[in-house]
């Protein structure tokens, strides 16, 4: 029998210090890799990861947020792509230490967007690697765009798309907070965790939620919830877990009681 597939998005705010350029958080990366290694007997995985401070800061610095405007951007574009590759290698090495056969795939090689939304993909490399028992991995990226030349593709959008197209059994967003809160827990110590959400309540909430406290060019928590709602609306449960805490990702995958938020398909 084929193992159930989990798409997991490892957020850049947990895996890097998003306020300091090119700063990996190696403990959080190792913690995520170990949990995925432990779960591989039960599940197959597609890993999508955020770009963290390897993406958001250079994208802002080089004025790449709104796509191609002039040739003067190309050097910064290439420099950012090269840093994103470096980031991919750091993750690959960490997963290899835990014997996870992570296969890096550049989103820009198999995704084309239109106005920043995924338009065309070739998912055959992903499904082929999965069939071999590997763990395909892609990050938030700069991809070609039919309208704007290029676009910033968030790992959140990519993870949601892949969860739907690959018929995942669940989608797990790993972040640096315990789940979805009724206000920003980094600014409001009284923020309340919303542990059980429905598609309707999450959609209502996403329309009110704000972005992130760190530099973020792809929509922060509000963007993440919007992507999650589309997935849950298709019958796939979505979890939000804290990657900076031990074993939460594992517990959510195994349906154990754990502090997290869950969007239950209606
Ligand atoms: C951002 O990806 C992509 C770039 C800025 C190139 P994400 O939006 O998925 O990254 P995180 O999780 O917020 O760091």
């Amino acid at each position: 029998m084929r193992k159930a597939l989990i798409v997991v998005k490892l957020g850049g705010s947990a895996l890097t210090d998003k306020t300091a350029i090119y700063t990996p958080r190696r403990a959080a990366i190792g913690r995520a890799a170990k949990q995925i290694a432990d779960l591989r007997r039960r599940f197959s995985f597609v890993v999508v990861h955020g770009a963290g401070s390897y993406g958001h800061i250079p994208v802002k610095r080089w004025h790449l947020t709104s796509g191609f405007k002039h040739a003067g951007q190309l050097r910064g574009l290439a420099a950012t792509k090269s840093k994103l590759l470096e980031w991919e290698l750091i993750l690959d090495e960490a997963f290899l230490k835990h014997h996870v056969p992570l296969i890096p795939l550049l989103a820009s090689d198999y995704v084309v967007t239109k106005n920043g939304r995924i338009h065309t993909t070739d998912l055959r490399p992903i499904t082929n690697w999965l069939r071999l028992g590997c763990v395909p991995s892609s990050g938030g990226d700069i991809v070609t765009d039919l309208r704007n030349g290029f676009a910033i593709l968030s790992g959140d959008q990519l993870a949601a798309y892949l969860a739907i197209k690959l018929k995942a059994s669940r989608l797990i967003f790993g972040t640096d907070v315990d789940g979805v809160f009724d206000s920003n827990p980094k600014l409001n110590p009284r923020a309340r965790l919303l542990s059980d959400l429905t598609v309707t309540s999450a959609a209502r909430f996403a329309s009110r939620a704000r972005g992130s406290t760190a530099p973020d060019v792809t929509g922060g928590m509000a963007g993440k919830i919007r992507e999650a709602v589309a997935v849950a609306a298709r019958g796939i449960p979505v979890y939000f877990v804290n990657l900076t805490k031990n074993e939460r990702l594992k517990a959510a995958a195994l349906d154990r009681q754990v502090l997290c938020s869950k969007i239950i398909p209606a």
Side-chain angles (χ1 to χ4, degrees), residues 46-58:
V46 169
V47 169
V48 178
H49 57 80
S53 63
Y54 286 82
H56 293 276
I57 299 178

Side-chain angles (χ1 to χ4, degrees), residues 212-224:
S212 138
T213 50
D216 192 304
V217 296
T218 54
M221 190 50 111
K224 207 181 294 296

Side-chain angles (χ1 to χ4, degrees), residues 9 11-12 18 50-52 55-56 59 140-141 152-156 216-218:
K9 159 77 197 301
K18 236 166 142 175
H56 293 276
V59 161
D141 200 358
I152 311 303
L153 172 67
S154 75
D156 297 341
D216 192 304
V217 296
T218 54

Side-chain angles (χ1 to χ4, degrees), residues 6-83:
I6 296 180
V7 174
V8 56
K9 159 77 197 301
L10 305 173
S13 53
L15 301 189
T16 71
D17 177 349
K18 236 166 142 175
T19 61
I21 198 159
Y22 314 141
T23 315
R25 287 194 164 128
R26 295 189 189 268
I29 298 169
R31 196 180 294 118
K34 168 144 195 346
Q35 291 176 83
I36 289 172
D38 292 348
L39 288 164
R40 279 190 62 239
R41 259 191 305 159
R42 293 272 300 270
F43 302 100
S44 59
F45 279 93
V46 169
V47 169
V48 178
H49 57 80
S53 63
Y54 286 82
H56 293 276
I57 299 178
V59 161
K60 272 197 169 170
R61 176 179 289 176
W62 297 104
H63 307 290
L64 304 174
T65 325
S66 317
F68 180 77
K69 305 285 175 206
H70 55 84
Q73 291 169 298
L74 297 184
R75 188 176 163 272
L77 170 66
T80 308
K81 288 290 272 179
S82 132
K83 279 294 173 185

Side-chain angles (χ1 to χ4, degrees), residues 139-154:
D141 200 358
I142 307 176
V143 303
T144 55
D145 187 279
L146 296 177
R147 285 266 159 79
N148 304 317
F150 61 78
I152 311 303
L153 172 67
S154 75

